[in-house]
Amino acid sequence: MKNLLGQSDDQTIANAIREGAFLVDVRTPAEFASGSVPGAVNIPLNDVGARVAEFKNKKGIVVFCRSGNRSSQAKSILERNGIKGVINGGTWDHVASIKQGL
């Protein structure tokens, strides 16, 4: 399943977080308000294409959502717009658990 969604392994996500990655929750504002990764910003999937400029010049980017589906789509949108180094972190609670373990 991880390969299908294009998710990276936990070590890659952990390294990106350690290096100060831009953490982006692509769920809706209501979902984000119910809990997310500490330090993450909310850029809903439907807004990612219009907000590409916010991703430029970031050292690393980890996108995540509820199931990994929307983050996979966000990663594709960003890559099509020339943003490199985007990691699909999968679910927000998975990324939060990795960050908490650092």
Side-chain angles (χ1 to χ4, degrees):
M1 186 71 156
K2 272 188 162 184
N3 290 337
L4 177 66
L5 296 176
Q7 293 178 353
S8 300
D9 67 355
D10 292 356
Q11 193 60 51
T12 303
I13 296 167
N15 289 341
I17 293 171
R18 272 191 212 97
E19 294 171 7
F22 185 44
L23 303 175
V24 183
D25 189 327
V26 298
R27 297 177 300 151
T28 66
E31 288 173 300
F32 181 76
S34 71
S36 188
V37 178
V41 298
N42 182 219
I43 302 178
L45 176 61
N46 291 341
D47 297 342
V48 169
R51 295 176 65 178
V52 169
E54 294 177 52
F55 294 88
K56 291 188 178 183
N57 301 316
K58 297 296 183 189
K59 187 173 183 180
I61 300 165
V62 178
V63 292
F64 50 89
C65 60
R66 183 183 53 81
S67 69
N69 183 29
R70 285 176 281 183
S71 56
S72 178
Q73 292 176 57
K75 181 179 189 295
S76 294
I77 291 166
L78 292 168
E79 289 174 341
R80 282 195 309 268
N81 282 279
I83 305 297
K84 304 211 182 310
V86 181
I87 299 167
N88 177 1
T91 67
W92 76 267
D93 54 343
H94 180 82
V95 175
S97 70
I98 291 171
K99 184 173 183 181
Q100 184 178 8
L102 297 178

